[in-house]
Amino acid sequence: MSLRHALLGLLSERPASGYDLLKRFETSLANVWPATQSQMYTELSKLADAGMISVSAEGPRGRKEYTLTDEGLAELRHWLTETKPQRNTRSDVLLRVFFLGVLTPEQARGYLAELMELSEQEYESLRRLDESIDWGEDPLSVHGKIALEYGLRFNAMRREWAEWAADQIR
Amino acid sequence: MSLRHALLGLLSERPASGYDLLKRFETSLANVWPATQSQMYTELSKLADAGMISVSAEGPRGRKEYTLTDEGLAELRHWLTETKPQRNTRSDVLLRVFFLGVLTPEQARGYLAELMELSEQEYESLRRLDESIDWGEDPLSVHGKIALEYGLRFNAMRREWAEWAADQIR
DNA sequence: TTGGTCATGTAATTCGTTACATGATTGA
DNA sequence: TCAATCATGTAACGAATTACATGACCAA
């Protein structure tokens, strides 16, 4: 249940409404932790009930601005320092690789070629994102850049692997 | 809903019972698509209802051996060739990186050091797995080896990235 | 005879997705 | 005035996790 920590994390930077958080997800965390609108509002209610965030202001159209409480910050720190990240990530992409034997070699190579292309596209899109952002020295910039570098390296690795893999199949 | 395809894929190699599939998950697919016992039995029932697999033999202790039907194989091929893999994978590891700013630099570097260690351990464990397996020329060997190579490259990439990232934080 | 492993299932709960539903405010 | 955007929520369903429950078979 990391969505709750993602929300706590975003609120640790500054107070925000559900709607604000939704927008910020789209432009930053969507790549590492996609979440839907309804999931976020539900989770915000739960977090408020649990006392980890509180309504600090109300605006037009029923807007509710949430602020991280001390308990919420403590929980965020606890998650970061005391709990281990999950080792197994589910990978749709890799699962398919196991079963490429039911296809013809041409089809199997076709799949790997698609993966190469996908990796290249994602690499390029991250590179453009990198260039479009005005990176500063603030903590958010530093860590955002680190995450982005991961994405670049990951896609470069995957592209090369897919190329190598296609070569293994005949 | 890829568990269903994982099961179809395993059954495409040879007929098996739920219990057999459970064991084979543990030793092969657990890294790319973890699933629990109860999830598997439930999904097998659904697949049988849907006509994608059928009970081909019954053994002692209520053992039911399932065999892939033509419909099941068609569905597996359809999944492999006609549907696109998910682009966004959730990453617990990376989500944390975004919020390392709430920790002290020492703690943040500590997290990245843990990641380096984790990546090294996983790399080594995959390398041992590689050596322990008697690879042949059969389709399963070829594709299993390709998936394993992905794991090796992935962990090598992640280790280097974590090292670089720790350097960025002061 | 008894402990291990083989073998299958159900129930409760949580997490995630899709769809539905509603309405206020603002700027052109 | 009207379209876009701001803004929040609920309902239904499916997928995943944990726990519970049961019992047959086999080898020591």
Side-chain angles (χ1 to χ4, degrees), chain B residues 2-34:
Chain B
S2 290
L3 174 61
R4 94 176 317 167
H5 299 110
L7 294 172
L8 293 175
L10 286 179
L11 287 172
S12 76
E13 291 159 20
R14 72 186 96 104
S17 69
Y19 192 82
D20 292 339
L21 293 168
L22 198 59
K23 296 292 147 186
R24 287 167 67 197
F25 250 74
E26 279 167 18
T27 56
S28 63
L29 296 184
N31 295 305
V32 303
W33 206 271

PDB file of all heavy atoms in Angstrom, chain B residues 2-34:
ATOM      1  N   SER B   2      -2.872 -11.105 -16.142  1.00  0.00           N
ATOM      2  CA  SER B   2      -1.840 -11.896 -16.786  1.00  0.00           C
ATOM      3  C   SER B   2      -1.633 -13.247 -16.121  1.00  0.00           C
ATOM      4  O   SER B   2      -1.007 -14.120 -16.711  1.00  0.00           O
ATOM      5  CB  SER B   2      -0.529 -11.132 -16.787  1.00  0.00           C
ATOM      6  OG  SER B   2      -0.626 -10.041 -17.668  1.00  0.00           O
ATOM      7  N   LEU B   3      -2.149 -13.421 -14.924  1.00  0.00           N
ATOM      8  CA  LEU B   3      -1.983 -14.716 -14.278  1.00  0.00           C
ATOM      9  C   LEU B   3      -2.583 -15.797 -15.165  1.00  0.00           C
ATOM     10  O   LEU B   3      -2.007 -16.861 -15.354  1.00  0.00           O
ATOM     11  CB  LEU B   3      -2.651 -14.733 -12.901  1.00  0.00           C
ATOM     12  CG  LEU B   3      -2.642 -16.104 -12.231  1.00  0.00           C
ATOM     13  CD1 LEU B   3      -1.232 -16.611 -12.006  1.00  0.00           C
ATOM     14  CD2 LEU B   3      -3.417 -16.079 -10.927  1.00  0.00           C
ATOM     15  N   ARG B   4      -3.720 -15.487 -15.724  1.00  0.00           N
ATOM     16  CA  ARG B   4      -4.371 -16.465 -16.592  1.00  0.00           C
ATOM     17  C   ARG B   4      -3.460 -16.848 -17.758  1.00  0.00           C
ATOM     18  O   ARG B   4      -3.376 -18.005 -18.137  1.00  0.00           O
ATOM     19  CB  ARG B   4      -5.733 -15.956 -17.044  1.00  0.00           C
ATOM     20  CG  ARG B   4      -5.841 -15.228 -18.340  1.00  0.00           C
ATOM     21  CD  ARG B   4      -7.311 -14.917 -18.623  1.00  0.00           C
ATOM     22  NE  ARG B   4      -8.169 -16.072 -18.325  1.00  0.00           N
ATOM     23  CZ  ARG B   4      -9.503 -16.032 -18.228  1.00  0.00           C
ATOM     24  NH1 ARG B   4     -10.131 -14.892 -18.401  1.00  0.00           N
ATOM     25  NH2 ARG B   4     -10.194 -17.100 -17.970  1.00  0.00           N
ATOM     26  N   HIS B   5      -2.745 -15.875 -18.298  1.00  0.00           N
ATOM     27  CA  HIS B   5      -1.852 -16.169 -19.421  1.00  0.00           C
ATOM     28  C   HIS B   5      -0.602 -16.901 -18.967  1.00  0.00           C
ATOM     29  O   HIS B   5      -0.066 -17.734 -19.702  1.00  0.00           O
ATOM     30  CB  HIS B   5      -1.529 -14.885 -20.169  1.00  0.00           C
ATOM     31  CG  HIS B   5      -2.752 -14.242 -20.739  1.00  0.00           C
ATOM     32  ND1 HIS B   5      -3.270 -13.067 -20.250  1.00  0.00           N
ATOM     33  CD2 HIS B   5      -3.606 -14.656 -21.704  1.00  0.00           C
ATOM     34  CE1 HIS B   5      -4.383 -12.783 -20.922  1.00  0.00           C
ATOM     35  NE2 HIS B   5      -4.607 -13.724 -21.802  1.00  0.00           N
ATOM     36  N   ALA B   6      -0.173 -16.600 -17.767  1.00  0.00           N
ATOM     37  CA  ALA B   6       0.968 -17.338 -17.215  1.00  0.00           C
ATOM     38  C   ALA B   6       0.608 -18.818 -17.079  1.00  0.00           C
ATOM     39  O   ALA B   6       1.400 -19.706 -17.429  1.00  0.00           O
ATOM     40  CB  ALA B   6       1.359 -16.760 -15.860  1.00  0.00           C
ATOM     41  N   LEU B   7      -0.592 -19.082 -16.619  1.00  0.00           N
ATOM     42  CA  LEU B   7      -1.031 -20.475 -16.469  1.00  0.00           C
ATOM     43  C   LEU B   7      -1.205 -21.153 -17.821  1.00  0.00           C
ATOM     44  O   LEU B   7      -0.779 -22.293 -18.021  1.00  0.00           O
ATOM     45  CB  LEU B   7      -2.337 -20.525 -15.671  1.00  0.00           C
ATOM     46  CG  LEU B   7      -2.213 -20.083 -14.202  1.00  0.00           C
ATOM     47  CD1 LEU B   7      -3.585 -19.978 -13.544  1.00  0.00           C
ATOM     48  CD2 LEU B   7      -1.322 -21.039 -13.425  1.00  0.00           C
ATOM     49  N   LEU B   8      -1.805 -20.456 -18.750  1.00  0.00           N
ATOM     50  CA  LEU B   8      -1.940 -21.011 -20.106  1.00  0.00           C
ATOM     51  C   LEU B   8      -0.553 -21.316 -20.682  1.00  0.00           C
ATOM     52  O   LEU B   8      -0.348 -22.359 -21.299  1.00  0.00           O
ATOM     53  CB  LEU B   8      -2.683 -20.023 -21.020  1.00  0.00           C
ATOM     54  CG  LEU B   8      -4.165 -19.760 -20.711  1.00  0.00           C
ATOM     55  CD1 LEU B   8      -4.716 -18.669 -21.624  1.00  0.00           C
ATOM     56  CD2 LEU B   8      -4.993 -21.034 -20.831  1.00  0.00           C
ATOM     57  N   GLY B   9       0.375 -20.407 -20.438  1.00  0.00           N
ATOM     58  CA  GLY B   9       1.730 -20.590 -20.957  1.00  0.00           C
ATOM     59  C   GLY B   9       2.398 -21.829 -20.388  1.00  0.00           C
ATOM     60  O   GLY B   9       3.001 -22.620 -21.120  1.00  0.00           O
ATOM     61  N   LEU B  10       2.282 -22.012 -19.088  1.00  0.00           N
ATOM     62  CA  LEU B  10       2.893 -23.193 -18.478  1.00  0.00           C
ATOM     63  C   LEU B  10       2.232 -24.467 -18.991  1.00  0.00           C
ATOM     64  O   LEU B  10       2.899 -25.474 -19.238  1.00  0.00           O
ATOM     65  CB  LEU B  10       2.796 -23.124 -16.954  1.00  0.00           C
ATOM     66  CG  LEU B  10       3.745 -22.133 -16.272  1.00  0.00           C
ATOM     67  CD1 LEU B  10       3.527 -22.143 -14.768  1.00  0.00           C
ATOM     68  CD2 LEU B  10       5.202 -22.464 -16.580  1.00  0.00           C
ATOM     69  N   LEU B  11       0.925 -24.412 -19.152  1.00  0.00           N
ATOM     70  CA  LEU B  11       0.218 -25.605 -19.638  1.00  0.00           C
ATOM     71  C   LEU B  11       0.496 -25.875 -21.113  1.00  0.00           C
ATOM     72  O   LEU B  11       0.244 -26.977 -21.599  1.00  0.00           O
ATOM     73  CB  LEU B  11      -1.286 -25.470 -19.387  1.00  0.00           C
ATOM     74  CG  LEU B  11      -1.692 -25.615 -17.915  1.00  0.00           C
ATOM     75  CD1 LEU B  11      -3.158 -25.277 -17.717  1.00  0.00           C
ATOM     76  CD2 LEU B  11      -1.408 -27.030 -17.412  1.00  0.00           C
ATOM     77  N   SER B  12       1.014 -24.885 -21.812  1.00  0.00           N
ATOM     78  CA  SER B  12       1.330 -25.115 -23.230  1.00  0.00           C
ATOM     79  C   SER B  12       2.545 -26.038 -23.363  1.00  0.00           C
ATOM     80  O   SER B  12       2.750 -26.656 -24.409  1.00  0.00           O
ATOM     81  CB  SER B  12       1.596 -23.790 -23.950  1.00  0.00           C
ATOM     82  OG  SER B  12       2.883 -23.291 -23.625  1.00  0.00           O
ATOM     83  N   GLU B  13       3.332 -26.112 -22.298  1.00  0.00           N
ATOM     84  CA  GLU B  13       4.488 -27.013 -22.355  1.00  0.00           C
ATOM     85  C   GLU B  13       4.067 -28.463 -22.135  1.00  0.00           C
ATOM     86  O   GLU B  13       4.510 -29.360 -22.834  1.00  0.00           O
ATOM     87  CB  GLU B  13       5.513 -26.622 -21.296  1.00  0.00           C
ATOM     88  CG  GLU B  13       6.186 -25.286 -21.597  1.00  0.00           C
ATOM     89  CD  GLU B  13       6.790 -24.662 -20.349  1.00  0.00           C
ATOM     90  OE1 GLU B  13       7.030 -25.397 -19.378  1.00  0.00           O
ATOM     91  OE2 GLU B  13       6.987 -23.431 -20.340  1.00  0.00           O
ATOM     92  N   ARG B  14       3.249 -28.631 -21.101  1.00  0.00           N
ATOM     93  CA  ARG B  14       2.761 -29.984 -20.792  1.00  0.00           C
ATOM     94  C   ARG B  14       1.623 -29.877 -19.790  1.00  0.00           C
ATOM     95  O   ARG B  14       1.535 -28.892 -19.050  1.00  0.00           O
ATOM     96  CB  ARG B  14       3.891 -30.835 -20.222  1.00  0.00           C
ATOM     97  CG  ARG B  14       4.310 -30.462 -18.796  1.00  0.00           C
ATOM     98  CD  ARG B  14       5.520 -31.255 -18.359  1.00  0.00           C
ATOM     99  NE  ARG B  14       6.749 -30.504 -18.576  1.00  0.00           N
ATOM    100  CZ  ARG B  14       7.442 -29.892 -17.602  1.00  0.00           C
ATOM    101  NH1 ARG B  14       7.027 -29.960 -16.361  1.00  0.00           N
ATOM    102  NH2 ARG B  14       8.550 -29.228 -17.869  1.00  0.00           N
ATOM    103  N   PRO B  15       0.738 -30.891 -19.754  1.00  0.00           N
ATOM    104  CA  PRO B  15      -0.367 -30.887 -18.801  1.00  0.00           C
ATOM    105  C   PRO B  15       0.165 -30.901 -17.362  1.00  0.00           C
ATOM    106  O   PRO B  15       1.265 -31.392 -17.115  1.00  0.00           O
ATOM    107  CB  PRO B  15      -1.099 -32.201 -19.094  1.00  0.00           C
ATOM    108  CG  PRO B  15      -0.729 -32.547 -20.496  1.00  0.00           C
ATOM    109  CD  PRO B  15       0.685 -32.071 -20.653  1.00  0.00           C
ATOM    110  N   ALA B  16      -0.603 -30.357 -16.456  1.00  0.00           N
ATOM    111  CA  ALA B  16      -0.165 -30.301 -15.057  1.00  0.00           C
ATOM    112  C   ALA B  16      -1.348 -30.042 -14.139  1.00  0.00           C
ATOM    113  O   ALA B  16      -2.388 -29.551 -14.577  1.00  0.00           O
ATOM    114  CB  ALA B  16       0.875 -29.202 -14.888  1.00  0.00           C
ATOM    115  N   SER B  17      -1.164 -30.363 -12.875  1.00  0.00           N
ATOM    116  CA  SER B  17      -2.186 -30.064 -11.874  1.00  0.00           C
ATOM    117  C   SER B  17      -1.908 -28.697 -11.256  1.00  0.00           C
ATOM    118  O   SER B  17      -0.841 -28.112 -11.476  1.00  0.00           O
ATOM    119  CB  SER B  17      -2.131 -31.120 -10.773  1.00  0.00           C
ATOM    120  OG  SER B  17      -0.934 -30.960 -10.041  1.00  0.00           O
ATOM    121  N   GLY B  18      -2.851 -28.205 -10.499  1.00  0.00           N
ATOM    122  CA  GLY B  18      -2.661 -26.933  -9.809  1.00  0.00           C
ATOM    123  C   GLY B  18      -1.418 -26.980  -8.937  1.00  0.00           C
ATOM    124  O   GLY B  18      -0.629 -26.035  -8.901  1.00  0.00           O
ATOM    125  N   TYR B  19      -1.260 -28.101  -8.285  1.00  0.00           N
ATOM    126  CA  TYR B  19      -0.116 -28.262  -7.392  1.00  0.00           C
ATOM    127  C   TYR B  19       1.204 -28.233  -8.163  1.00  0.00           C
ATOM    128  O   TYR B  19       2.165 -27.585  -7.753  1.00  0.00           O
ATOM    129  CB  TYR B  19      -0.257 -29.589  -6.632  1.00  0.00           C
ATOM    130  CG  TYR B  19       0.699 -29.742  -5.485  1.00  0.00           C
ATOM    131  CD1 TYR B  19       0.435 -29.162  -4.254  1.00  0.00           C
ATOM    132  CD2 TYR B  19       1.870 -30.472  -5.642  1.00  0.00           C
ATOM    133  CE1 TYR B  19       1.303 -29.314  -3.201  1.00  0.00           C
ATOM    134  CE2 TYR B  19       2.752 -30.616  -4.589  1.00  0.00           C
ATOM    135  CZ  TYR B  19       2.468 -30.042  -3.363  1.00  0.00           C
ATOM    136  OH  TYR B  19       3.333 -30.186  -2.326  1.00  0.00           O
ATOM    137  N   ASP B  20       1.229 -28.903  -9.295  1.00  0.00           N
ATOM    138  CA  ASP B  20       2.421 -28.871 -10.156  1.00  0.00           C
ATOM    139  C   ASP B  20       2.746 -27.445 -10.577  1.00  0.00           C
ATOM    140  O   ASP B  20       3.897 -27.010 -10.540  1.00  0.00           O
ATOM    141  CB  ASP B  20       2.173 -29.663 -11.458  1.00  0.00           C
ATOM    142  CG  ASP B  20       2.036 -31.153 -11.225  1.00  0.00           C
ATOM    143  OD1 ASP B  20       2.508 -31.631 -10.180  1.00  0.00           O
ATOM    144  OD2 ASP B  20       1.439 -31.827 -12.092  1.00  0.00           O
ATOM    145  N   LEU B  21       1.713 -26.746 -10.987  1.00  0.00           N
ATOM    146  CA  LEU B  21       1.913 -25.385 -11.486  1.00  0.00           C
ATOM    147  C   LEU B  21       2.443 -24.482 -10.383  1.00  0.00           C
ATOM    148  O   LEU B  21       3.292 -23.625 -10.616  1.00  0.00           O
ATOM    149  CB  LEU B  21       0.595 -24.847 -12.045  1.00  0.00           C
ATOM    150  CG  LEU B  21       0.113 -25.571 -13.306  1.00  0.00           C
ATOM    151  CD1 LEU B  21      -1.331 -25.196 -13.626  1.00  0.00           C
ATOM    152  CD2 LEU B  21       1.021 -25.250 -14.498  1.00  0.00           C
ATOM    153  N   LEU B  22       1.933 -24.718  -9.196  1.00  0.00           N
ATOM    154  CA  LEU B  22       2.390 -23.966  -8.028  1.00  0.00           C
ATOM    155  C   LEU B  22       3.892 -24.129  -7.842  1.00  0.00           C
ATOM    156  O   LEU B  22       4.630 -23.162  -7.638  1.00  0.00           O
ATOM    157  CB  LEU B  22       1.649 -24.516  -6.813  1.00  0.00           C
ATOM    158  CG  LEU B  22       1.601 -23.699  -5.541  1.00  0.00           C
ATOM    159  CD1 LEU B  22       0.950 -22.363  -5.793  1.00  0.00           C
ATOM    160  CD2 LEU B  22       0.812 -24.462  -4.470  1.00  0.00           C
ATOM    161  N   LYS B  23       4.360 -25.370  -7.938  1.00  0.00           N
ATOM    162  CA  LYS B  23       5.791 -25.664  -7.789  1.00  0.00           C
ATOM    163  C   LYS B  23       6.599 -25.019  -8.905  1.00  0.00           C
ATOM    164  O   LYS B  23       7.685 -24.491  -8.692  1.00  0.00           O
ATOM    165  CB  LYS B  23       6.037 -27.187  -7.832  1.00  0.00           C
ATOM    166  CG  LYS B  23       5.403 -27.942  -6.682  1.00  0.00           C
ATOM    167  CD  LYS B  23       6.056 -27.612  -5.374  1.00  0.00           C
ATOM    168  CE  LYS B  23       5.024 -27.671  -4.252  1.00  0.00           C
ATOM    169  NZ  LYS B  23       5.543 -27.235  -2.959  1.00  0.00           N
ATOM    170  N   ARG B  24       6.057 -25.098 -10.119  1.00  0.00           N
ATOM    171  CA  ARG B  24       6.813 -24.534 -11.238  1.00  0.00           C
ATOM    172  C   ARG B  24       6.846 -23.018 -11.193  1.00  0.00           C
ATOM    173  O   ARG B  24       7.807 -22.397 -11.632  1.00  0.00           O
ATOM    174  CB  ARG B  24       6.240 -25.039 -12.567  1.00  0.00           C
ATOM    175  CG  ARG B  24       6.629 -26.509 -12.764  1.00  0.00           C
ATOM    176  CD  ARG B  24       5.875 -27.161 -13.862  1.00  0.00           C
ATOM    177  NE  ARG B  24       6.217 -26.603 -15.158  1.00  0.00           N
ATOM    178  CZ  ARG B  24       5.475 -26.768 -16.238  1.00  0.00           C
ATOM    179  NH1 ARG B  24       4.357 -27.464 -16.160  1.00  0.00           N
ATOM    180  NH2 ARG B  24       5.842 -26.241 -17.374  1.00  0.00           N
ATOM    181  N   PHE B  25       5.824 -22.422 -10.643  1.00  0.00           N
ATOM    182  CA  PHE B  25       5.861 -20.979 -10.436  1.00  0.00           C
ATOM    183  C   PHE B  25       7.019 -20.602  -9.532  1.00  0.00           C
ATOM    184  O   PHE B  25       7.789 -19.700  -9.828  1.00  0.00           O
ATOM    185  CB  PHE B  25       4.548 -20.502  -9.794  1.00  0.00           C
ATOM    186  CG  PHE B  25       3.713 -19.694 -10.724  1.00  0.00           C
ATOM    187  CD1 PHE B  25       3.020 -20.311 -11.749  1.00  0.00           C
ATOM    188  CD2 PHE B  25       3.622 -18.313 -10.604  1.00  0.00           C
ATOM    189  CE1 PHE B  25       2.247 -19.577 -12.631  1.00  0.00           C
ATOM    190  CE2 PHE B  25       2.857 -17.568 -11.473  1.00  0.00           C
ATOM    191  CZ  PHE B  25       2.165 -18.198 -12.485  1.00  0.00           C
ATOM    192  N   GLU B  26       7.108 -21.302  -8.435  1.00  0.00           N
ATOM    193  CA  GLU B  26       8.149 -20.996  -7.447  1.00  0.00           C
ATOM    194  C   GLU B  26       9.546 -20.994  -8.042  1.00  0.00           C
ATOM    195  O   GLU B  26      10.371 -20.168  -7.696  1.00  0.00           O
ATOM    196  CB  GLU B  26       8.113 -22.026  -6.306  1.00  0.00           C
ATOM    197  CG  GLU B  26       7.040 -21.743  -5.276  1.00  0.00           C
ATOM    198  CD  GLU B  26       6.820 -22.930  -4.330  1.00  0.00           C
ATOM    199  OE1 GLU B  26       7.704 -23.799  -4.268  1.00  0.00           O
ATOM    200  OE2 GLU B  26       5.754 -22.977  -3.685  1.00  0.00           O
ATOM    201  N   THR B  27       9.777 -21.944  -8.959  1.00  0.00           N
ATOM    202  CA  THR B  27      11.134 -22.072  -9.476  1.00  0.00           C
ATOM    203  C   THR B  27      11.383 -21.354 -10.797  1.00  0.00           C
ATOM    204  O   THR B  27      12.504 -21.325 -11.258  1.00  0.00           O
ATOM    205  CB  THR B  27      11.508 -23.565  -9.660  1.00  0.00           C
ATOM    206  OG1 THR B  27      10.524 -24.175 -10.508  1.00  0.00           O
ATOM    207  CG2 THR B  27      11.528 -24.292  -8.332  1.00  0.00           C
ATOM    208  N   SER B  28      10.342 -20.788 -11.389  1.00  0.00           N
ATOM    209  CA  SER B  28      10.628 -20.083 -12.636  1.00  0.00           C
ATOM    210  C   SER B  28       9.963 -18.718 -12.720  1.00  0.00           C
ATOM    211  O   SER B  28      10.627 -17.691 -12.773  1.00  0.00           O
ATOM    212  CB  SER B  28      10.232 -20.933 -13.844  1.00  0.00           C
ATOM    213  OG  SER B  28       8.836 -21.179 -13.860  1.00  0.00           O
ATOM    214  N   LEU B  29       8.650 -18.689 -12.652  1.00  0.00           N
ATOM    215  CA  LEU B  29       7.959 -17.425 -12.882  1.00  0.00           C
ATOM    216  C   LEU B  29       7.859 -16.522 -11.662  1.00  0.00           C
ATOM    217  O   LEU B  29       7.468 -15.363 -11.784  1.00  0.00           O
ATOM    218  CB  LEU B  29       6.545 -17.686 -13.413  1.00  0.00           C
ATOM    219  CG  LEU B  29       6.471 -18.369 -14.775  1.00  0.00           C
ATOM    220  CD1 LEU B  29       5.030 -18.471 -15.227  1.00  0.00           C
ATOM    221  CD2 LEU B  29       7.286 -17.600 -15.807  1.00  0.00           C
ATOM    222  N   ALA B  30       8.223 -17.052 -10.497  1.00  0.00           N
ATOM    223  CA  ALA B  30       8.059 -16.258  -9.280  1.00  0.00           C
ATOM    224  C   ALA B  30       8.723 -14.880  -9.394  1.00  0.00           C
ATOM    225  O   ALA B  30       8.240 -13.906  -8.834  1.00  0.00           O
ATOM    226  CB  ALA B  30       8.615 -17.005  -8.080  1.00  0.00           C
ATOM    227  N   ASN B  31       9.818 -14.800 -10.149  1.00  0.00           N
ATOM    228  CA  ASN B  31      10.526 -13.529 -10.271  1.00  0.00           C
ATOM    229  C   ASN B  31       9.812 -12.509 -11.143  1.00  0.00           C
ATOM    230  O   ASN B  31      10.019 -11.318 -10.982  1.00  0.00           O
ATOM    231  CB  ASN B  31      11.918 -13.758 -10.858  1.00  0.00           C
ATOM    232  CG  ASN B  31      12.780 -14.580  -9.932  1.00  0.00           C
ATOM    233  OD1 ASN B  31      12.956 -14.234  -8.778  1.00  0.00           O
ATOM    234  ND2 ASN B  31      13.285 -15.689 -10.440  1.00  0.00           N
ATOM    235  N   VAL B  32       9.034 -12.991 -12.089  1.00  0.00           N
ATOM    236  CA  VAL B  32       8.384 -12.032 -12.972  1.00  0.00           C
ATOM    237  C   VAL B  32       6.886 -11.901 -12.723  1.00  0.00           C
ATOM    238  O   VAL B  32       6.283 -10.903 -13.084  1.00  0.00           O
ATOM    239  CB  VAL B  32       8.626 -12.344 -14.462  1.00  0.00           C
ATOM    240  CG1 VAL B  32      10.117 -12.390 -14.761  1.00  0.00           C
ATOM    241  CG2 VAL B  32       7.962 -13.637 -14.885  1.00  0.00           C
ATOM    242  N   TRP B  33       6.298 -12.914 -12.090  1.00  0.00           N
ATOM    243  CA  TRP B  33       4.864 -12.822 -11.836  1.00  0.00           C
ATOM    244  C   TRP B  33       4.455 -13.646 -10.616  1.00  0.00           C
ATOM    245  O   TRP B  33       3.846 -14.708 -10.751  1.00  0.00           O
ATOM    246  CB  TRP B  33       4.042 -13.256 -13.064  1.00  0.00           C
ATOM    247  CG  TRP B  33       2.711 -12.604 -13.042  1.00  0.00           C
ATOM    248  CD1 TRP B  33       1.571 -13.071 -12.446  1.00  0.00           C
ATOM    249  CD2 TRP B  33       2.372 -11.324 -13.562  1.00  0.00           C
ATOM    250  NE1 TRP B  33       0.567 -12.169 -12.572  1.00  0.00           N
ATOM    251  CE2 TRP B  33       1.027 -11.085 -13.252  1.00  0.00           C
ATOM    252  CE3 TRP B  33       3.103 -10.337 -14.237  1.00  0.00           C
ATOM    253  CZ2 TRP B  33       0.369  -9.905 -13.616  1.00  0.00           C
ATOM    254  CZ3 TRP B  33       2.445  -9.180 -14.605  1.00  0.00           C
ATOM    255  CH2 TRP B  33       1.103  -8.974 -14.302  1.00  0.00           C
ATOM    256  N   PRO B  34       4.762 -13.141  -9.436  1.00  0.00           N
ATOM    257  CA  PRO B  34       4.412 -13.870  -8.220  1.00  0.00           C
ATOM    258  C   PRO B  34       2.912 -14.105  -8.118  1.00  0.00           C
ATOM    259  O   PRO B  34       2.117 -13.259  -8.519  1.00  0.00           O
ATOM    260  CB  PRO B  34       4.894 -12.957  -7.090  1.00  0.00           C
ATOM    261  CG  PRO B  34       5.264 -11.661  -7.701  1.00  0.00           C
ATOM    262  CD  PRO B  34       5.432 -11.877  -9.163  1.00  0.00           C
TER     263      PRO B  34
END
